[in-house]
Amino acid sequence: MSSIYRFLPDGNVEILIDMNDTPQYIYDNATLKEIQACHHVWASGVRTEPISIPSGKDASMFIISCKKGMAYPFFPVPMNEISDCVVDADLLWGSDFNLLRERILENRHSPRKFQIAEDFLSKKFLSKMILNPCVEFAIDEIVQKPDQISLGNLNQKIGYSQKHFIDLFKRHVGVTPKAYLKIMRFQKAVSEIESHKKIDWTGISLDCGFYDQSHFINDFKLFSGFTPEEYTNRAIEFPNYIAVA
């Protein structure tokens, strides 16, 4: 078995194009047994829990990463239908992305590969790239200021009823505003941990917007499977990637 890494929730949605023909596997977080095989092209929705994947050291991937909260125009289904899921591209877009993969494989020059992908996305999705201004505003506030934002105040600024805004946000982003805010606070904590040689856990929990240290520890363990101290005691080569096997 190749090395397995736990990839932590980061609020992103990605379309992954595998340049190799051998499948990539997803593993059960607890048992590390193979639970899903991914072939050629697949999409990964917003995650509220970690996912166990190969290390990627021998992989050759072309990854289309959408801006946070802005993937909705590229997908034929509401984003909450693929949250915490990895879905074969054929099930979402038919053969379109596999044809893109073939075109990318035919070109050896990296700059041309990016141009091919950009032209494809523009042609197929440009007419659909109309962002909901309320969702766009909310995402910007949550991503830029996760430690400061109050969802109640945000909802008042937007002007929708709480239920309508939650439903709208879930369709466009994949999860509720509260869940997405928790992910962004967790990501801020990961960045804080990486940048501090001496860690003050109480200070980090408050700086990242958590109610108290207990809430911080609970959310950190929910998103990573480890307590913050366990996370820092592991040899982590890249933030958000933890070797587990």
Side-chain angles (χ1 to χ4, degrees):
M1 181 185 292
S2 61
S3 298
I4 299 175
Y5 276 64
R6 185 172 294 172
F7 178 43
L8 310 184
D10 60 1
N12 290 339
V13 173
E14 296 174 331
I15 301 168
L16 300 97
I17 302 175
D18 193 353
M19 299 291 99
N20 298 320
D21 288 323
T22 53
Q24 298 287 336
Y25 293 98
I26 298 172
Y27 304 93
D28 182 89
N29 285 334
T31 66
L32 301 184
K33 292 182 178 180
E34 295 172 2
I35 57 173
Q36 184 177 350
C38 302
H39 302 270
H40 292 169
V41 189
W42 57 90
S44 181
V46 167
R47 306 205 68 83
T48 62
E49 57 187 27
I51 183 173
S52 296
I53 57 176
S55 66
K57 291 181 179 178
D58 300 319
S60 177
M61 308 285 289
F62 188 101
I63 300 175
I64 300 170
S65 185
C66 302
K67 289 184 177 179
K68 281 184 167 56
M70 299 293 127
Y72 181 75
F74 297 98
F75 284 78
V77 297
M79 297 309 299
N80 57 293
E81 291 189 12
I82 64 165
S83 60
D84 285 312
C85 293
V86 175
V87 185
D88 284 345
D90 285 353
L91 297 177
L92 294 168
W93 300 284
S95 62
D96 288 354
F97 273 91
N98 275 289
L99 293 174
L100 171 63
R101 176 180 181 270
E102 291 177 8
R103 292 191 60 201
I104 290 174
L105 284 171
E106 289 170 357
N107 284 267
R108 297 181 179 180
H109 302 290
S110 293
R112 180 60 184 152
K113 293 178 188 288
F114 288 104
Q115 189 62 55
I116 289 170
E118 184 177 339
D119 291 345
F120 166 82
L121 294 171
S122 296
K123 182 177 180 180
K124 184 171 178 62
F125 300 106
L126 185 61
S127 64
K128 302 176 183 179
M129 290 185 191
I130 303 172
L131 299 174
N132 181 287
C134 294
V135 174
E136 187 176 13
F137 173 75
I139 282 289
D140 186 64
E141 290 286 291
I142 291 172
V143 170
Q144 297 300 325
K145 298 179 289 187
D147 54 324
Q148 304 172 32
I149 194 168
S150 159
L151 290 178
N153 292 339
L154 178 64
N155 203 75
Q156 287 183 349
K157 290 179 181 179
I158 289 171
Y160 288 147
S161 70
Q162 185 179 30
K163 183 179 184 303
H164 179 69
F165 175 56
I166 290 173
D167 290 343
L168 180 69
F169 195 94
K170 282 177 63 177
R171 289 200 310 272
H172 281 254
V173 180
V175 294
T176 65
K178 182 178 180 179
Y180 202 81
L181 177 58
K182 284 188 174 185
I183 295 170
M184 290 299 100
R185 285 176 174 167
F186 166 70
Q187 280 299 313
K188 184 174 175 61
V190 169
S191 297
E192 291 279 320
I193 290 169
E194 293 298 319
S195 63
H196 286 71
K197 293 182 179 179
K198 187 176 181 181
I199 298 176
D200 172 11
W201 293 117
T202 301
I204 285 182
S205 64
L206 296 176
D207 288 347
C208 294
F210 293 93
Y211 180 73
D212 55 26
Q213 191 171 345
S214 177
H215 283 79
F216 166 57
I217 293 171
N218 288 338
D219 280 2
F220 200 99
K221 191 166 185 178
L222 174 69
F223 289 131
S224 70
F226 300 101
T227 66
E229 288 192 357
E230 288 172 339
Y231 177 85
T232 58
N233 289 333
R234 300 183 74 88
I236 298 171
E237 190 174 356
F238 301 105
N240 290 316
Y241 288 89
I242 306 173
V244 291

